[in-house]
Amino acid sequence: ARAAESDVVTAVAEAWRQAPGRAWDLPACARAAGLSYTRFRARFARAYGRSPYAYLQGLRLELACRWLRSTDDSMLHLSVVTL
């Protein structure tokens, strides 16, 4: 059972990596994984070393930093493009 829970947590993290800009509902992700939100948070933190929210925010910040370093566009332009 523990391996199956780890697999669903990994699947959720992979979905986030594929669509980091999506408006993810973390409790809904937990339900889709067949776990309570509390159990999902605990499993996720065990697997990734931080909470699901912190992981998703970190992923988004990492991608934003990479994008800013790779373009000469202004932050204003990038913010409009990503709306």
Side-chain angles (χ1 to χ4, degrees):
R2 185 168 283 180
E5 287 178 354
S6 178
D7 289 346
V8 296
V9 166
T10 300
V12 169
E14 179 58 30
W16 292 349
R17 284 189 293 276
Q18 296 299 317
R22 181 175 166 189
W24 292 101
D25 178 340
L26 299 184
C29 290
R31 287 190 301 276
L35 301 170
S36 70
Y37 184 62
T38 301
R39 189 169 191 138
F40 176 72
R41 274 183 52 93
R43 295 286 178 182
F44 197 96
R46 189 172 305 131
Y48 290 93
R50 53 189 159 163
S51 73
Y53 181 79
Y55 178 88
L56 185 55
Q57 290 303 101
L59 176 65
R60 289 172 172 166
L61 287 171
E62 178 184 322
L63 292 172
C65 288
R66 192 177 313 149
W67 193 8
L68 287 169
R69 283 191 299 267
S70 68
T71 184
D72 290 330
D73 291 341
S74 70
M75 286 184 68
L76 176 61
H77 172 77
L78 295 176
S79 67
V80 171
V81 169
T82 59
L83 289 178

